[in-house]
Amino acid sequence: MNKGQIFDFFSRLAEANPAPVTELEYGNAYQLLVAVTLSAQATDVGVNKATRALFREVETPQQMVDLGEDALKQHIKTIGLFNTKAKNVIALSEILVRDFGGEVPQDRDALTTLPGVGRKTANVVLNTAFGQETFAVDTHIFRVGNRTGLAPGKTVLAVEDKLERRVPQPFRRDAHHWLILHGRYVCKARKPECWRCIVSDLCRFKPKTPAPGSVAKAA
C-alpha cells in the first residue's frame, strides 16, 4: 500500500468504529496489566470470565500479593498455562509494590522487566491504559499486516517497525485496536470474509473470498 491507500484504509476503519476499545475487561492500569498477561495463548472471552470475580476482590498489586498464588490459581484455572501465569502475576505484583510504589510504570523498558511481560503486553498496556502510540503485534495484527500489504514482515518486530513508520496521524493511537478487531472478526485466519470487508479494494490479498453461496471471481 502507498501512503494514500494507508490513509484511506484507516479512515474507513475509523469511520466504522470511531472509538475502538480492547475487549478485555478491567478497571485500572494494574488490572489491565494482569488481564493482558493472562491473555497469552487464551481468548479475551476466556480471560474475562476468569477475572470478573478476581477483579472484584483485587484492584491493586498489594491486594494480589495478599490474595496469594494458590487462591489466584483457583480464579484463573480455566485459562491455559494458569500455573505459570499465576506465578508470574504474583511475582510482578511483588515487584510493583517493592520498586514502583504499587503503580504500573508508563515505560516499555520498565514493564518488560516484569515477569511474564513481553514487548507485546507492554505495548498493549502503554496504548490502552496510557494512550501512548504503540503497536502491539499479536497474531491478528501480524496476519492483517502481511495479508493486506499494510505492514509486511517476516517477524513480529518487522511488522511493528513497519506500522511505526507507516501509520499516519490521526490514526496512530487507535490503529492497534482497529487492526486487532479487523483480524478477529473480518480478516480471519482460515477464511477472511472479504465480501463484507470495507477495505477489500485496498488489500493485496487474492483471490478474494466470495460470499457464501457465490462463485469467486478470477484474480
mmCIF file of all heavy atoms in Angstrom, residues 159-205:
data_model
loop_
_atom_site.group_PDB
_atom_site.id
_atom_site.type_symbol
_atom_site.label_atom_id
_atom_site.label_comp_id
_atom_site.label_asym_id
_atom_site.label_seq_id
_atom_site.Cartn_x
_atom_site.Cartn_y
_atom_site.Cartn_z
ATOM 1 N N VAL A 159 6.996 -6.326 11.529
ATOM 2 C CA VAL A 159 5.663 -5.759 11.305
ATOM 3 C C VAL A 159 5.455 -4.536 12.190
ATOM 4 O O VAL A 159 4.925 -3.511 11.734
ATOM 5 C CB VAL A 159 4.574 -6.818 11.571
ATOM 6 C CG1 VAL A 159 3.176 -6.188 11.539
ATOM 7 C CG2 VAL A 159 4.667 -7.941 10.541
ATOM 8 N N GLU A 160 5.873 -4.616 13.444
ATOM 9 C CA GLU A 160 5.754 -3.463 14.345
ATOM 10 C C GLU A 160 6.524 -2.263 13.802
ATOM 11 O O GLU A 160 6.034 -1.128 13.821
ATOM 12 C CB GLU A 160 6.266 -3.816 15.742
ATOM 13 C CG GLU A 160 6.123 -2.669 16.728
ATOM 14 C CD GLU A 160 6.686 -2.996 18.103
ATOM 15 O OE1 GLU A 160 6.791 -4.186 18.461
ATOM 16 O OE2 GLU A 160 7.019 -2.039 18.841
ATOM 17 N N ASP A 161 7.724 -2.523 13.310
ATOM 18 C CA ASP A 161 8.546 -1.437 12.762
ATOM 19 C C ASP A 161 7.867 -0.793 11.547
ATOM 20 O O ASP A 161 7.865 0.440 11.414
ATOM 21 C CB ASP A 161 9.918 -1.973 12.382
ATOM 22 C CG ASP A 161 10.832 -0.880 11.840
ATOM 23 O OD1 ASP A 161 11.146 0.055 12.600
ATOM 24 O OD2 ASP A 161 11.233 -0.953 10.658
ATOM 25 N N LYS A 162 7.279 -1.618 10.693
ATOM 26 C CA LYS A 162 6.571 -1.081 9.526
ATOM 27 C C LYS A 162 5.382 -0.219 9.956
ATOM 28 O O LYS A 162 5.146 0.863 9.410
ATOM 29 C CB LYS A 162 6.080 -2.227 8.628
ATOM 30 C CG LYS A 162 7.155 -2.883 7.785
ATOM 31 C CD LYS A 162 7.432 -2.096 6.523
ATOM 32 C CE LYS A 162 8.480 -2.803 5.655
ATOM 33 N NZ LYS A 162 8.027 -4.110 5.144
ATOM 34 N N LEU A 163 4.625 -0.705 10.924
ATOM 35 C CA LEU A 163 3.483 0.069 11.414
ATOM 36 C C LEU A 163 3.950 1.385 12.024
ATOM 37 O O LEU A 163 3.331 2.439 11.800
ATOM 38 C CB LEU A 163 2.701 -0.740 12.447
ATOM 39 C CG LEU A 163 1.934 -1.957 11.916
ATOM 40 C CD1 LEU A 163 1.394 -2.789 13.063
ATOM 41 C CD2 LEU A 163 0.798 -1.519 10.988
ATOM 42 N N GLU A 164 5.025 1.323 12.792
ATOM 43 C CA GLU A 164 5.575 2.522 13.418
ATOM 44 C C GLU A 164 5.905 3.578 12.372
ATOM 45 O O GLU A 164 5.689 4.778 12.578
ATOM 46 C CB GLU A 164 6.823 2.154 14.225
ATOM 47 C CG GLU A 164 7.417 3.290 15.029
ATOM 48 C CD GLU A 164 6.535 3.733 16.172
ATOM 49 O OE1 GLU A 164 6.055 2.867 16.925
ATOM 50 O OE2 GLU A 164 6.331 4.959 16.300
ATOM 51 N N ARG A 165 6.415 3.135 11.243
ATOM 52 C CA ARG A 165 6.848 4.070 10.203
ATOM 53 C C ARG A 165 5.731 4.466 9.239
ATOM 54 O O ARG A 165 5.786 5.551 8.655
ATOM 55 C CB ARG A 165 8.007 3.454 9.401
ATOM 56 C CG ARG A 165 9.306 3.358 10.200
ATOM 57 C CD ARG A 165 10.494 2.929 9.360
ATOM 58 N NE ARG A 165 10.482 1.492 9.081
ATOM 59 C CZ ARG A 165 10.284 0.964 7.893
ATOM 60 N NH1 ARG A 165 10.040 1.729 6.847
ATOM 61 N NH2 ARG A 165 10.314 -0.347 7.723
ATOM 62 N N ARG A 166 4.701 3.632 9.114
ATOM 63 C CA ARG A 166 3.729 3.850 8.042
ATOM 64 C C ARG A 166 2.372 4.378 8.493
ATOM 65 O O ARG A 166 1.665 4.995 7.705
ATOM 66 C CB ARG A 166 3.520 2.546 7.250
ATOM 67 C CG ARG A 166 4.802 1.976 6.660
ATOM 68 C CD ARG A 166 4.525 0.800 5.749
ATOM 69 N NE ARG A 166 4.060 1.235 4.436
ATOM 70 C CZ ARG A 166 3.701 0.423 3.457
ATOM 71 N NH1 ARG A 166 3.736 -0.886 3.647
ATOM 72 N NH2 ARG A 166 3.295 0.895 2.290
ATOM 73 N N VAL A 167 1.990 4.122 9.742
ATOM 74 C CA VAL A 167 0.665 4.564 10.188
ATOM 75 C C VAL A 167 0.691 6.069 10.443
ATOM 76 O O VAL A 167 1.478 6.561 11.252
ATOM 77 C CB VAL A 167 0.219 3.821 11.462
ATOM 78 C CG1 VAL A 167 -1.133 4.365 11.942
ATOM 79 C CG2 VAL A 167 0.133 2.325 11.202
ATOM 80 N N PRO A 168 -0.181 6.829 9.772
ATOM 81 C CA PRO A 168 -0.158 8.292 9.909
ATOM 82 C C PRO A 168 -1.066 8.785 11.037
ATOM 83 O O PRO A 168 -1.911 8.050 11.544
ATOM 84 C CB PRO A 168 -0.699 8.749 8.554
ATOM 85 C CG PRO A 168 -1.713 7.690 8.195
ATOM 86 C CD PRO A 168 -1.136 6.390 8.730
ATOM 87 N N GLN A 169 -0.873 10.021 11.408
ATOM 88 C CA GLN A 169 -1.851 10.700 12.255
ATOM 89 C C GLN A 169 -3.086 10.980 11.390
ATOM 90 O O GLN A 169 -2.974 11.140 10.192
ATOM 91 C CB GLN A 169 -1.281 12.013 12.788
ATOM 92 C CG GLN A 169 -0.120 11.845 13.749
ATOM 93 C CD GLN A 169 -0.521 11.234 15.083
ATOM 94 O OE1 GLN A 169 -1.663 10.802 15.271
ATOM 95 N NE2 GLN A 169 0.414 11.173 16.007
ATOM 96 N N PRO A 170 -4.285 11.022 11.959
ATOM 97 C CA PRO A 170 -4.606 10.946 13.396
ATOM 98 C C PRO A 170 -4.947 9.534 13.864
ATOM 99 O O PRO A 170 -5.694 9.370 14.818
ATOM 100 C CB PRO A 170 -5.841 11.841 13.478
ATOM 101 C CG PRO A 170 -6.554 11.552 12.173
ATOM 102 C CD PRO A 170 -5.479 11.327 11.148
ATOM 103 N N PHE A 171 -4.401 8.519 13.205
ATOM 104 C CA PHE A 171 -4.821 7.147 13.459
ATOM 105 C C PHE A 171 -3.880 6.350 14.359
ATOM 106 O O PHE A 171 -4.180 5.206 14.692
ATOM 107 C CB PHE A 171 -4.966 6.403 12.117
ATOM 108 C CG PHE A 171 -5.808 7.132 11.112
ATOM 109 C CD1 PHE A 171 -5.247 7.601 9.935
ATOM 110 C CD2 PHE A 171 -7.152 7.376 11.344
ATOM 111 C CE1 PHE A 171 -6.009 8.278 8.999
ATOM 112 C CE2 PHE A 171 -7.928 8.056 10.417
ATOM 113 C CZ PHE A 171 -7.356 8.512 9.241
ATOM 114 N N ARG A 172 -2.768 6.919 14.775
ATOM 115 C CA ARG A 172 -1.736 6.129 15.433
ATOM 116 C C ARG A 172 -2.171 5.567 16.793
ATOM 117 O O ARG A 172 -1.870 4.421 17.123
ATOM 118 C CB ARG A 172 -0.461 6.959 15.583
ATOM 119 C CG ARG A 172 0.191 7.274 14.233
ATOM 120 C CD ARG A 172 1.420 8.152 14.395
ATOM 121 N NE ARG A 172 2.478 7.495 15.138
ATOM 122 C CZ ARG A 172 3.346 6.633 14.605
ATOM 123 N NH1 ARG A 172 3.264 6.320 13.325
ATOM 124 N NH2 ARG A 172 4.279 6.098 15.344
ATOM 125 N N ARG A 173 -2.893 6.338 17.561
ATOM 126 C CA ARG A 173 -3.256 5.874 18.904
ATOM 127 C C ARG A 173 -4.195 4.665 18.858
ATOM 128 O O ARG A 173 -4.082 3.745 19.671
ATOM 129 C CB ARG A 173 -3.920 6.993 19.706
ATOM 130 C CG ARG A 173 -4.119 6.646 21.181
ATOM 131 C CD ARG A 173 -4.961 7.671 21.890
ATOM 132 N NE ARG A 173 -6.348 7.638 21.408
ATOM 133 C CZ ARG A 173 -7.305 8.435 21.853
ATOM 134 N NH1 ARG A 173 -7.019 9.350 22.756
ATOM 135 N NH2 ARG A 173 -8.529 8.356 21.370
ATOM 136 N N ASP A 174 -5.120 4.652 17.909
ATOM 137 C CA ASP A 174 -6.142 3.603 17.884
ATOM 138 C C ASP A 174 -5.882 2.523 16.840
ATOM 139 O O ASP A 174 -6.664 1.564 16.737
ATOM 140 C CB ASP A 174 -7.519 4.221 17.627
ATOM 141 C CG ASP A 174 -8.007 5.077 18.788
ATOM 142 O OD1 ASP A 174 -7.698 4.732 19.938
ATOM 143 O OD2 ASP A 174 -8.691 6.088 18.550
ATOM 144 N N ALA A 175 -4.802 2.641 16.077
ATOM 145 C CA ALA A 175 -4.537 1.677 14.998
ATOM 146 C C ALA A 175 -4.471 0.243 15.513
ATOM 147 O O ALA A 175 -4.989 -0.692 14.892
ATOM 148 C CB ALA A 175 -3.237 2.045 14.287
ATOM 149 N N HIS A 176 -3.840 0.071 16.654
ATOM 150 C CA HIS A 176 -3.696 -1.259 17.260
ATOM 151 C C HIS A 176 -5.049 -1.936 17.453
ATOM 152 O O HIS A 176 -5.246 -3.109 17.097
ATOM 153 C CB HIS A 176 -2.926 -1.088 18.583
ATOM 154 C CG HIS A 176 -3.199 -2.124 19.613
ATOM 155 N ND1 HIS A 176 -3.907 -1.848 20.759
ATOM 156 C CD2 HIS A 176 -2.855 -3.420 19.689
ATOM 157 C CE1 HIS A 176 -3.973 -2.937 21.499
ATOM 158 N NE2 HIS A 176 -3.351 -3.909 20.880
ATOM 159 N N HIS A 177 -6.032 -1.205 17.971
ATOM 160 C CA HIS A 177 -7.356 -1.785 18.212
ATOM 161 C C HIS A 177 -8.094 -2.060 16.907
ATOM 162 O O HIS A 177 -8.729 -3.113 16.758
ATOM 163 C CB HIS A 177 -8.186 -0.852 19.096
ATOM 164 C CG HIS A 177 -7.696 -0.745 20.500
ATOM 165 N ND1 HIS A 177 -7.525 -1.836 21.324
ATOM 166 C CD2 HIS A 177 -7.316 0.322 21.234
ATOM 167 C CE1 HIS A 177 -7.086 -1.447 22.501
ATOM 168 N NE2 HIS A 177 -6.940 -0.142 22.470
ATOM 169 N N TRP A 178 -8.036 -1.124 15.964
ATOM 170 C CA TRP A 178 -8.718 -1.362 14.687
ATOM 171 C C TRP A 178 -8.199 -2.609 14.006
ATOM 172 O O TRP A 178 -8.963 -3.406 13.473
ATOM 173 C CB TRP A 178 -8.536 -0.154 13.758
ATOM 174 C CG TRP A 178 -9.397 1.009 14.107
ATOM 175 C CD1 TRP A 178 -10.717 0.999 14.443
ATOM 176 C CD2 TRP A 178 -8.997 2.389 14.148
ATOM 177 N NE1 TRP A 178 -11.161 2.278 14.701
ATOM 178 C CE2 TRP A 178 -10.127 3.146 14.531
ATOM 179 C CE3 TRP A 178 -7.791 3.054 13.898
ATOM 180 C CZ2 TRP A 178 -10.093 4.532 14.651
ATOM 181 C CZ3 TRP A 178 -7.748 4.422 14.021
ATOM 182 C CH2 TRP A 178 -8.890 5.157 14.400
ATOM 183 N N LEU A 179 -6.886 -2.801 14.009
ATOM 184 C CA LEU A 179 -6.295 -3.940 13.315
ATOM 185 C C LEU A 179 -6.624 -5.255 14.018
ATOM 186 O O LEU A 179 -6.911 -6.266 13.357
ATOM 187 C CB LEU A 179 -4.777 -3.761 13.206
ATOM 188 C CG LEU A 179 -4.325 -2.609 12.298
ATOM 189 C CD1 LEU A 179 -2.819 -2.430 12.384
ATOM 190 C CD2 LEU A 179 -4.750 -2.846 10.849
ATOM 191 N N ILE A 180 -6.601 -5.273 15.341
ATOM 192 C CA ILE A 180 -6.969 -6.487 16.071
ATOM 193 C C ILE A 180 -8.420 -6.867 15.787
ATOM 194 O O ILE A 180 -8.735 -8.022 15.470
ATOM 195 C CB ILE A 180 -6.760 -6.309 17.585
ATOM 196 C CG1 ILE A 180 -5.288 -6.380 17.943
ATOM 197 C CG2 ILE A 180 -7.530 -7.380 18.366
ATOM 198 C CD1 ILE A 180 -4.997 -6.197 19.409
ATOM 199 N N LEU A 181 -9.314 -5.913 15.896
ATOM 200 C CA LEU A 181 -10.732 -6.198 15.682
ATOM 201 C C LEU A 181 -11.006 -6.609 14.245
ATOM 202 O O LEU A 181 -11.818 -7.510 13.988
ATOM 203 C CB LEU A 181 -11.571 -4.969 16.063
ATOM 204 C CG LEU A 181 -11.530 -4.595 17.554
ATOM 205 C CD1 LEU A 181 -12.216 -3.255 17.787
ATOM 206 C CD2 LEU A 181 -12.182 -5.684 18.405
ATOM 207 N N HIS A 182 -10.308 -5.984 13.297
ATOM 208 C CA HIS A 182 -10.484 -6.349 11.892
ATOM 209 C C HIS A 182 -10.011 -7.790 11.662
ATOM 210 O O HIS A 182 -10.675 -8.571 10.969
ATOM 211 C CB HIS A 182 -9.704 -5.387 10.997
ATOM 212 C CG HIS A 182 -10.016 -5.543 9.553
ATOM 213 N ND1 HIS A 182 -11.261 -5.284 9.023
ATOM 214 C CD2 HIS A 182 -9.243 -5.966 8.502
ATOM 215 C CE1 HIS A 182 -11.253 -5.515 7.725
ATOM 216 N NE2 HIS A 182 -10.041 -5.936 7.385
ATOM 217 N N GLY A 183 -8.884 -8.148 12.263
ATOM 218 C CA GLY A 183 -8.378 -9.505 12.118
ATOM 219 C C GLY A 183 -9.234 -10.536 12.828
ATOM 220 O O GLY A 183 -9.376 -11.674 12.376
ATOM 221 N N ARG A 184 -9.801 -10.155 13.943
ATOM 222 C CA ARG A 184 -10.596 -11.085 14.747
ATOM 223 C C ARG A 184 -11.947 -11.390 14.108
ATOM 224 O O ARG A 184 -12.421 -12.531 14.156
ATOM 225 C CB ARG A 184 -10.793 -10.492 16.146
ATOM 226 C CG ARG A 184 -11.509 -11.393 17.131
ATOM 227 C CD ARG A 184 -11.473 -10.778 18.517
ATOM 228 N NE ARG A 184 -10.131 -10.838 19.093
ATOM 229 C CZ ARG A 184 -9.730 -10.111 20.129
ATOM 230 N NH1 ARG A 184 -10.576 -9.259 20.703
ATOM 231 N NH2 ARG A 184 -8.503 -10.232 20.603
ATOM 232 N N TYR A 185 -12.555 -10.372 13.489
ATOM 233 C CA TYR A 185 -13.936 -10.546 13.033
ATOM 234 C C TYR A 185 -14.139 -10.518 11.517
ATOM 235 O O TYR A 185 -15.178 -10.957 11.043
ATOM 236 C CB TYR A 185 -14.817 -9.470 13.686
ATOM 237 C CG TYR A 185 -14.868 -9.622 15.180
ATOM 238 C CD1 TYR A 185 -14.280 -8.682 16.012
ATOM 239 C CD2 TYR A 185 -15.473 -10.726 15.762
ATOM 240 C CE1 TYR A 185 -14.304 -8.835 17.393
ATOM 241 C CE2 TYR A 185 -15.514 -10.888 17.143
ATOM 242 C CZ TYR A 185 -14.930 -9.941 17.952
ATOM 243 O OH TYR A 185 -14.954 -10.105 19.308
ATOM 244 N N VAL A 186 -13.191 -10.002 10.766
ATOM 245 C CA VAL A 186 -13.351 -9.920 9.310
ATOM 246 C C VAL A 186 -12.216 -10.634 8.585
ATOM 247 O O VAL A 186 -12.444 -11.585 7.827
ATOM 248 C CB VAL A 186 -13.435 -8.449 8.833
ATOM 249 C CG1 VAL A 186 -13.611 -8.395 7.312
ATOM 250 C CG2 VAL A 186 -14.601 -7.725 9.515
ATOM 251 N N CYS A 187 -11.000 -10.214 8.812
ATOM 252 C CA CYS A 187 -9.838 -10.789 8.121
ATOM 253 C C CYS A 187 -9.351 -12.011 8.887
ATOM 254 O O CYS A 187 -8.226 -12.065 9.379
ATOM 255 C CB CYS A 187 -8.738 -9.734 7.981
ATOM 256 S SG CYS A 187 -7.478 -10.141 6.773
ATOM 257 N N LYS A 188 -10.219 -13.008 8.972
ATOM 258 C CA LYS A 188 -9.967 -14.184 9.799
ATOM 259 C C LYS A 188 -8.875 -15.052 9.198
ATOM 260 O O LYS A 188 -8.613 -15.011 8.005
ATOM 261 C CB LYS A 188 -11.264 -14.977 9.955
ATOM 262 C CG LYS A 188 -12.379 -14.196 10.626
ATOM 263 C CD LYS A 188 -13.655 -15.000 10.691
ATOM 264 C CE LYS A 188 -14.791 -14.219 11.343
ATOM 265 N NZ LYS A 188 -16.047 -14.997 11.389
ATOM 266 N N ALA A 189 -8.274 -15.864 10.065
ATOM 267 C CA ALA A 189 -7.104 -16.634 9.652
ATOM 268 C C ALA A 189 -7.424 -17.634 8.540
ATOM 269 O O ALA A 189 -6.781 -17.636 7.494
ATOM 270 C CB ALA A 189 -6.514 -17.361 10.860
ATOM 271 N N ARG A 190 -8.386 -18.483 8.757
ATOM 272 C CA ARG A 190 -8.641 -19.560 7.801
ATOM 273 C C ARG A 190 -9.411 -19.098 6.580
ATOM 274 O O ARG A 190 -9.133 -19.534 5.461
ATOM 275 C CB ARG A 190 -9.397 -20.699 8.491
ATOM 276 C CG ARG A 190 -8.578 -21.422 9.541
ATOM 277 C CD ARG A 190 -9.293 -22.643 10.057
ATOM 278 N NE ARG A 190 -8.492 -23.372 11.047
ATOM 279 C CZ ARG A 190 -8.890 -24.503 11.637
ATOM 280 N NH1 ARG A 190 -10.072 -25.023 11.338
ATOM 281 N NH2 ARG A 190 -8.106 -25.095 12.521
ATOM 282 N N LYS A 191 -10.384 -18.229 6.801
ATOM 283 C CA LYS A 191 -11.217 -17.801 5.683
ATOM 284 C C LYS A 191 -11.636 -16.341 5.878
ATOM 285 O O LYS A 191 -12.671 -16.058 6.480
ATOM 286 C CB LYS A 191 -12.459 -18.693 5.563
ATOM 287 C CG LYS A 191 -13.185 -18.566 4.232
ATOM 288 C CD LYS A 191 -14.250 -19.627 4.106
ATOM 289 C CE LYS A 191 -14.900 -19.574 2.722
ATOM 290 N NZ LYS A 191 -15.942 -20.619 2.568
ATOM 291 N N PRO A 192 -10.839 -15.411 5.359
ATOM 292 C CA PRO A 192 -11.203 -13.988 5.511
ATOM 293 C C PRO A 192 -12.532 -13.684 4.825
ATOM 294 O O PRO A 192 -12.828 -14.219 3.760
ATOM 295 C CB PRO A 192 -10.043 -13.269 4.817
ATOM 296 C CG PRO A 192 -9.473 -14.273 3.866
ATOM 297 C CD PRO A 192 -9.630 -15.595 4.545
ATOM 298 N N GLU A 193 -13.328 -12.860 5.469
ATOM 299 C CA GLU A 193 -14.657 -12.538 4.935
ATOM 300 C C GLU A 193 -14.580 -11.304 4.049
ATOM 301 O O GLU A 193 -15.099 -10.227 4.371
ATOM 302 C CB GLU A 193 -15.638 -12.392 6.099
ATOM 303 C CG GLU A 193 -15.769 -13.692 6.884
ATOM 304 C CD GLU A 193 -16.760 -13.638 8.028
ATOM 305 O OE1 GLU A 193 -17.389 -12.573 8.242
ATOM 306 O OE2 GLU A 193 -16.905 -14.668 8.712
ATOM 307 N N CYS A 194 -13.904 -11.481 2.910
ATOM 308 C CA CYS A 194 -13.630 -10.364 2.005
ATOM 309 C C CYS A 194 -14.898 -9.706 1.474
ATOM 310 O O CYS A 194 -14.901 -8.506 1.164
ATOM 311 C CB CYS A 194 -12.765 -10.846 0.831
ATOM 312 S SG CYS A 194 -11.212 -11.629 1.314
ATOM 313 N N TRP A 195 -15.976 -10.473 1.357
ATOM 314 C CA TRP A 195 -17.211 -9.943 0.769
ATOM 315 C C TRP A 195 -17.839 -8.843 1.614
ATOM 316 O O TRP A 195 -18.609 -8.034 1.113
ATOM 317 C CB TRP A 195 -18.224 -11.070 0.550
ATOM 318 C CG TRP A 195 -18.801 -11.638 1.813
ATOM 319 C CD1 TRP A 195 -19.910 -11.214 2.478
ATOM 320 C CD2 TRP A 195 -18.276 -12.736 2.557
ATOM 321 N NE1 TRP A 195 -20.116 -11.971 3.605
ATOM 322 C CE2 TRP A 195 -19.143 -12.912 3.677
ATOM 323 C CE3 TRP A 195 -17.182 -13.587 2.403
ATOM 324 C CZ2 TRP A 195 -18.914 -13.919 4.619
ATOM 325 C CZ3 TRP A 195 -16.974 -14.580 3.345
ATOM 326 C CH2 TRP A 195 -17.823 -14.737 4.433
ATOM 327 N N ARG A 196 -17.475 -8.789 2.904
ATOM 328 C CA ARG A 196 -18.039 -7.730 3.753
ATOM 329 C C ARG A 196 -16.964 -6.817 4.324
ATOM 330 O O ARG A 196 -17.211 -6.075 5.263
ATOM 331 C CB ARG A 196 -18.874 -8.336 4.877
ATOM 332 C CG ARG A 196 -18.093 -9.136 5.911
ATOM 333 C CD ARG A 196 -19.043 -9.737 6.939
ATOM 334 N NE ARG A 196 -18.336 -10.321 8.081
ATOM 335 C CZ ARG A 196 -18.004 -9.643 9.176
ATOM 336 N NH1 ARG A 196 -18.296 -8.361 9.276
ATOM 337 N NH2 ARG A 196 -17.389 -10.251 10.175
ATOM 338 N N CYS A 197 -15.771 -6.870 3.728
ATOM 339 C CA CYS A 197 -14.650 -6.066 4.205
ATOM 340 C C CYS A 197 -14.687 -4.677 3.586
ATOM 341 O O CYS A 197 -14.753 -4.534 2.360
ATOM 342 C CB CYS A 197 -13.334 -6.760 3.854
ATOM 343 S SG CYS A 197 -11.875 -5.785 4.272
ATOM 344 N N ILE A 198 -14.614 -3.644 4.420
ATOM 345 C CA ILE A 198 -14.727 -2.268 3.924
ATOM 346 C C ILE A 198 -13.433 -1.742 3.321
ATOM 347 O O ILE A 198 -13.398 -0.645 2.768
ATOM 348 C CB ILE A 198 -15.200 -1.315 5.044
ATOM 349 C CG1 ILE A 198 -14.203 -1.317 6.219
ATOM 350 C CG2 ILE A 198 -16.602 -1.683 5.506
ATOM 351 C CD1 ILE A 198 -14.539 -0.320 7.319
ATOM 352 N N VAL A 199 -12.365 -2.540 3.419
ATOM 353 C CA VAL A 199 -11.088 -2.113 2.832
ATOM 354 C C VAL A 199 -10.580 -3.131 1.807
ATOM 355 O O VAL A 199 -9.398 -3.141 1.457
ATOM 356 C CB VAL A 199 -10.015 -1.874 3.926
ATOM 357 C CG1 VAL A 199 -10.367 -0.657 4.768
ATOM 358 C CG2 VAL A 199 -9.835 -3.115 4.807
ATOM 359 N N SER A 200 -11.461 -3.983 1.318
ATOM 360 C CA SER A 200 -11.028 -5.073 0.439
ATOM 361 C C SER A 200 -10.395 -4.574 -0.855
ATOM 362 O O SER A 200 -9.487 -5.211 -1.393
ATOM 363 C CB SER A 200 -12.203 -5.999 0.112
ATOM 364 O OG SER A 200 -13.217 -5.292 -0.574
ATOM 365 N N ASP A 201 -10.846 -3.420 -1.356
ATOM 366 C CA ASP A 201 -10.284 -2.909 -2.614
ATOM 367 C C ASP A 201 -8.865 -2.358 -2.429
ATOM 368 O O ASP A 201 -8.136 -2.179 -3.414
ATOM 369 C CB ASP A 201 -11.183 -1.817 -3.193
ATOM 370 C CG ASP A 201 -11.368 -0.647 -2.239
ATOM 371 O OD1 ASP A 201 -11.723 -0.883 -1.073
ATOM 372 O OD2 ASP A 201 -11.167 0.509 -2.656
ATOM 373 N N LEU A 202 -8.474 -2.111 -1.189
ATOM 374 C CA LEU A 202 -7.123 -1.611 -0.901
ATOM 375 C C LEU A 202 -6.156 -2.750 -0.587
ATOM 376 O O LEU A 202 -4.949 -2.531 -0.524
ATOM 377 C CB LEU A 202 -7.166 -0.644 0.285
ATOM 378 C CG LEU A 202 -8.075 0.572 0.138
ATOM 379 C CD1 LEU A 202 -8.151 1.328 1.463
ATOM 380 C CD2 LEU A 202 -7.595 1.485 -0.971
ATOM 381 N N CYS A 203 -6.688 -3.930 -0.376
ATOM 382 C CA CYS A 203 -5.929 -5.082 0.105
ATOM 383 C C CYS A 203 -5.365 -5.891 -1.064
ATOM 384 O O CYS A 203 -6.045 -6.116 -2.061
ATOM 385 C CB CYS A 203 -6.857 -5.947 0.947
ATOM 386 S SG CYS A 203 -6.205 -7.558 1.399
ATOM 387 N N ARG A 204 -4.138 -6.381 -0.904
ATOM 388 C CA ARG A 204 -3.480 -7.114 -1.989
ATOM 389 C C ARG A 204 -3.807 -8.604 -1.982
ATOM 390 O O ARG A 204 -3.374 -9.335 -2.866
ATOM 391 C CB ARG A 204 -1.973 -6.931 -1.893
ATOM 392 C CG ARG A 204 -1.309 -7.680 -0.754
ATOM 393 C CD ARG A 204 0.188 -7.469 -0.743
ATOM 394 N NE ARG A 204 0.820 -8.259 0.310
ATOM 395 C CZ ARG A 204 2.123 -8.187 0.583
ATOM 396 N NH1 ARG A 204 2.899 -7.369 -0.083
ATOM 397 N NH2 ARG A 204 2.638 -8.937 1.539
ATOM 398 N N PHE A 205 -4.568 -9.070 -1.001
ATOM 399 C CA PHE A 205 -4.887 -10.493 -0.903
ATOM 400 C C PHE A 205 -5.748 -10.948 -2.077
ATOM 401 O O PHE A 205 -6.784 -10.361 -2.368
ATOM 402 C CB PHE A 205 -5.627 -10.780 0.406
ATOM 403 C CG PHE A 205 -6.083 -12.206 0.558
ATOM 404 C CD1 PHE A 205 -5.165 -13.216 0.805
ATOM 405 C CD2 PHE A 205 -7.422 -12.527 0.455
ATOM 406 C CE1 PHE A 205 -5.590 -14.536 0.955
ATOM 407 C CE2 PHE A 205 -7.856 -13.842 0.599
ATOM 408 C CZ PHE A 205 -6.928 -14.849 0.852
#
